[in-house]
Amino acid sequence: MLLAVLFSNSEGNILVERFNGVPAEERLHWRSFLVKLGAENLRGIKNEELLVACHKSVYIVYTVLGDVNIYVVGKDAYDELALSEAIFVITSAIKDVCGKPPTERLFLDKYGKICLCLDEIVWTGLLENIDKDRIKRLVRLKPPAEF
């Protein structure tokens, strides 16, 4: 299960978060843990260079895209390989929405569209859509051409 998808700026402020199957009392712990993890390790890495961590029997894959840090947390079938595929789909969708690796301002300007994309990619803790063209069609809010 994909437990969390979290976006933060370089200062550690949360921009978007989605938790699945994580109790409310544990979410603060995960927020602070992920932001601290990023602060320690994401300085100076290239865009879309993936880093992997393991914490409490869950896997974490995280990266930087422009001015935005992206964290994906999973367990069970969602090991580091599956999470790297998920983060690749998420980063490519964000680049499509923003037209380039986003600054924090551009990310917030496109917030609604990014949330729609994220909802189409991850649904109730499962990786739902990975096809870039299908995600674009679904986000346009028009009925799909084929079933």
Side-chain angles (χ1 to χ4, degrees), residues 39-111:
E40 293 171 357
N41 299 315
L42 289 176
R43 298 266 186 253
I45 72 162
K46 298 175 190 171
N47 270 349
E48 299 181 71
E49 182 178 340
L50 299 181
L51 300 176
V52 178
C54 188
H55 178 67
K56 292 185 176 180
S57 75
V58 299
Y59 297 99
I60 304 156
V61 176
Y62 56 111
T63 190
V64 171
L65 184 64
D67 294 342
V68 178
N69 301 339
I70 305 169
Y71 307 87
V72 180
V73 181
K75 69 175 185 178
D76 299 332
Y78 287 94
D79 61 3
E80 62 269 25
L81 187 59
L83 294 178
S84 63
E85 182 177 349
I87 207 166
F88 174 74
V89 173
I90 291 167
T91 55
S92 63
I94 290 172
K95 285 190 296 187
D96 284 348
V97 168
C98 296
K100 60 181 180 179
T103 61
E104 182 179 354
R105 179 183 176 106
L106 180 58
F107 185 90
L108 293 173
D109 286 346
K110 303 287 185 175
Y111 177 82

Side-chain angles (χ1 to χ4, degrees), residues 12-30:
N13 300 316
I14 307 299
L15 303 175
V16 177
E17 66 181 23
R18 294 283 195 279
F19 286 101
N20 301 294
V22 178
E25 59 273 4
E26 288 184 25
R27 293 178 183 186
L28 179 61
H29 163 76
W30 278 107

